[in-house]
Amino acid sequence: QVQLVESGGGLVQAGGSLRLSCAASGRFSSISVMRWYRQAPQKQRELVAVITSSGSINYADSVKGRFTISRDNKNTAYLQMDSLKPEDTAVYYCNADARSYDYTSDSYWGQGTQVTVSS
């Protein structure tokens, strides 16, 4: 089993910055992909950013140039969010694909962290 714990959400004014963290723990051999999703009220969950174990990165068009995803060598992913806009307000979720020692792979979710951007 893998546990993902997010932190770093909060309330910020438009134009401000926040840094989210997602720490993975538990019993697994490796994590191949880590992602950040977000879900605003009345909207579907959307993919915000992806980073693979090899360092490949992709962003949603809506956050390109403002958000930066990164990952350390201890299975923690970060999402640096700059120039925040009110439309970035959402619950942000971490998602990770983890491989167990029997070579099976599963996808795991964190509990989510609220980001609120005031205008």
Side-chain angles (χ1 to χ4, degrees), residues 64-91:
K64 280 181 181 176
R66 300 187 299 119
F67 290 12
T68 303
I69 190 171
S70 61
R71 177 176 174 177
D72 67 13
N73 58 3
K74 297 182 179 179
N75 296 310
T76 297
Y78 305 93
L79 187 68
Q80 176 67 40
M81 305 185 294
D82 299 318
S83 302
L84 282 161
K85 304 175 181 180
E87 51 264 44
D88 295 317
T89 295
V91 178

Side-chain angles (χ1 to χ4, degrees), residues 20 50 55 57 59 96 106-107 119:
L20 306 183
V50 184
I57 291 173
Y59 297 100
D106 284 301
S107 184
S119 58

